[in-house]
Amino acid sequence: MTTKAIVSASDPEPQFVKRERIYVGVDVGYRQHVAAASPLSVFNAKRNPNGWRQVKTVRFASDAAGFAHLQRYLDKHSSDVTDFLVLLEPTGGYYALALLLYLLGKSYPVVQVENRAVKDYREKVFGSETKADEMDARLMARMGFLHELAGEEFSIRPVHLTNPDAAALKVMVGDLSVLQKEITRRRNQLQQITAATFPELKTFFRDSTASPSARALLAKFPTPQDLAAASADEIGDVLRTTRSYRHAKRAAELRELAQGSAGVRMLTQQHWRQGWIIRQLDVLDEARQELIEQVERISAAHRYTLIIESLPVKSPIWTATLIAVIGDVSRFHNYAEFRAYLGWSPQVERSGSSLDSSKLAKSGVRLSRKVLGQMVMIMLTPVIRATPFRVHYERLTARGMRPAKGNRARRREALGRAEQDAQGDDALR
């Protein structure tokens, strides 16, 4: 895959300089990145079977000085950006963002290779999961060569400059997921403490002993003994500050439960830890609420919002998550590719030469798999009004299909409708 270009020289007669494709793999890090520029000639298996493994790499800092170092390294191979194809992994967070903007700003063609594809190819070539930055950089360069010249598929997709809010939304949705897990963890820890020190509390707060009302009460009266010593009016005042008026009316009942509690007396360390967890939960809940408001603000103006929220069940968090995961729907060539990316494609199980059954593939984006699963489970509940999805599900199960397969069919149907609407919206625009 070589081309010829005419360059100016002191000789009045033009000289022809042979140019070749250069594949650059970049392993992204926090402080430093590693790049391996592999010209097409190093992949000549007859002349040098291991040429691509011996390509000289460059380690450069993730700052302006480092980018200048990378530029000098690339210029040694060619000063024409069209000769290059740069490949890197979609590293989480913002580690690669500055480098991406630099390369795209210089008009270098940049594509991303899925992390899983690099890992699988590393095991295939080297027979080991051992990771080395130089090794991965060379591997990505070779993957670019095989993808472009041999047509081998590696889950490679082009990188384009996107709307800053859309890029931030994807990171914020991930932050929200992590934050929710931490809140759940702290709530479980608080419930474990109260189960030992004040077991009767769960009969009063039936939903959760880690709810805002219960936390406010425990912050003011950490032990059953403190509650027993307080008056019903004092207990009711605390509950009313959290707008738990129904519980405030039963303040006297809670005081009686505290007086006869069978809980273990709290030690000093347990007392401190309970207060610390409560303070942590208050901060985390506030941070979560702020993040949800910001995510809703970004997604409200997005063109896919009306399409996603046209489904029978909806949630601002679900909408934001799907918008963040999908990105630009035009990058998917067909519905099957779109469905596989979101993690809702069937996988056929075979035993020998016979067909056994099908199941949901384990690939795809975890966030979208979770959202689609929650949507379907709610659509199928009897308390929700009848929808075409549920009617179709009931028809499938009445025919003898297992409920799990019926759920997958409903999710595929919802995905198909969403993609058709989105593509129609793009066509209109």
Side-chain angles (χ1 to χ4, degrees), residues 196-200 217-218 220-231 234-235 254-267 270-271 274:
T197 59
F198 192 5
E200 295 78 14
L217 196 68
L218 291 171
K220 182 70 174 179
F221 310 108
T223 67
Q225 292 75 30
D226 295 328
L227 263 175
S231 66
E234 290 174 325
I235 297 172
L254 178 60
R255 184 168 178 269
E256 291 179 6
L257 290 172
Q259 290 173 344
S261 176
V264 178
R265 281 193 170 270
M266 189 179 292
L267 301 175
Q270 292 173 322
H271 186 284
Q274 176 177 284

Side-chain angles (χ1 to χ4, degrees), residues 143-158:
M143 291 169 75
F145 160 72
L146 292 174
H147 177 74
E148 196 169 70
L149 269 292
E152 195 162 338
E153 294 295 335
F154 286 110
S155 300
I156 293 175
R157 62 178 185 271

Side-chain angles (χ1 to χ4, degrees), residues 64-195:
F67 296 165
H69 187 191
L70 172 66
Q71 189 64 62
R72 291 191 295 271
Y73 172 75
L74 297 177
D75 288 344
K76 288 179 181 178
H77 292 83
S78 174
S79 58
D80 191 337
V81 297
T82 61
D83 290 341
F84 293 88
L85 178 66
V86 183
L87 300 95
L88 44 76
E89 294 174 304
T91 305
Y94 295 98
Y95 288 169
L97 183 58
L99 177 61
L100 271 174
L101 293 176
Y102 175 82
L103 292 170
L104 293 173
K106 295 287 185 178
S107 300
Y108 283 97
V110 182
V111 297
Q112 286 185 332
V113 190
E114 292 294 340
N115 304 68
R116 180 72 188 183
V118 177
K119 177 179 179 294
D120 291 344
Y121 192 56
R122 186 194 313 129
E123 294 175 6
K124 178 181 178 181
V125 173
F126 296 102
S128 170
E129 293 188 12
T130 303
K131 183 186 186 308
D133 297 342
E134 290 79 6
M135 179 196 302
D136 279 5
R138 295 186 182 108
L139 277 172
M140 279 185 275
R142 179 170 170 79
M143 291 169 75
F145 160 72
L146 292 174
H147 177 74
E148 196 169 70
L149 269 292
E152 195 162 338
E153 294 295 335
F154 286 110
S155 300
I156 293 175
R157 62 178 185 271
V159 177
H160 304 287
L161 288 174
T162 58
N163 180 284
D165 281 347
L169 182 62
K170 189 170 184 178
V171 178
M172 291 165 68
V173 166
D175 291 340
L176 186 59
S177 178
V178 173
L179 194 57
Q180 186 57 57
K181 288 179 182 177
E182 186 62 21
I183 290 174
T184 302
R185 179 168 169 261
R186 297 297 183 197
R187 287 168 65 95
N188 290 340
Q189 290 174 341
L190 182 58
Q191 289 181 140
Q192 289 171 2
I193 293 175
T194 57

Side-chain angles (χ1 to χ4, degrees), residues 339-351:
R339 187 178 65 187
Y341 177 79
L342 292 188
W344 228 263
S345 57
Q347 174 180 311
V348 178
E349 285 187 326
R350 293 180 180 273
S351 176

Side-chain angles (χ1 to χ4, degrees), residues 4 13 51 87 131 176 203 206-207 218 222 289 346 351 408:
K4 292 184 178 180
E13 293 184 4
L87 300 95
K131 183 186 186 308
L176 186 59
T203 64
R206 294 188 177 276
D207 292 337
L218 291 171
Q289 186 57 40
S351 176
R408 290 197 292 271

Side-chain angles (χ1 to χ4, degrees), residues 222-358:
T223 67
Q225 292 75 30
D226 295 328
L227 263 175
S231 66
D233 290 339
E234 290 174 325
I235 297 172
D237 289 341
V238 173
L239 292 171
R240 277 187 285 271
T241 59
T242 60
R243 298 182 179 181
S244 185
Y245 303 111
R246 179 170 56 87
H247 288 103
K249 294 178 181 179
R250 300 167 53 207
E253 178 186 337
L254 178 60
R255 184 168 178 269
E256 291 179 6
L257 290 172
Q259 290 173 344
S261 176
V264 178
R265 281 193 170 270
M266 189 179 292
L267 301 175
T268 304
Q269 293 83 355
Q270 292 173 322
H271 186 284
W272 178 88
R273 185 167 180 264
Q274 176 177 284
W276 177 76
I277 292 174
I278 290 172
R279 292 191 296 274
Q280 288 286 310
L281 278 168
D282 291 341
V283 172
L284 290 171
D285 276 347
E286 183 178 354
R288 179 180 179 274
Q289 186 57 40
E290 289 180 4
L291 188 56
I292 288 175
E293 291 173 0
Q294 187 68 8
V295 163
E296 289 180 2
R297 185 190 67 79
I298 296 174
S299 60
H302 200 279
R303 54 180 176 158
Y304 295 162
T305 298
L306 292 177
I307 298 171
I308 295 171
E309 293 189 347
S310 67
L311 293 171
V313 293
K314 58 186 177 180
S315 158
I317 297 176
W318 290 349
T319 301
T321 301
L322 291 177
I323 289 173
V325 170
I326 293 170
D328 184 1
V329 76
S330 63
R331 64 195 176 102
F332 301 104
H333 297 95
N334 50 54
Y335 163 57
E337 185 178 325
F338 174 71
R339 187 178 65 187
Y341 177 79
L342 292 188
W344 228 263
S345 57
Q347 174 180 311
V348 178
E349 285 187 326
R350 293 180 180 273
S351 176
S353 60
S354 62
L355 176 64
D356 289 340
S357 61
S358 65

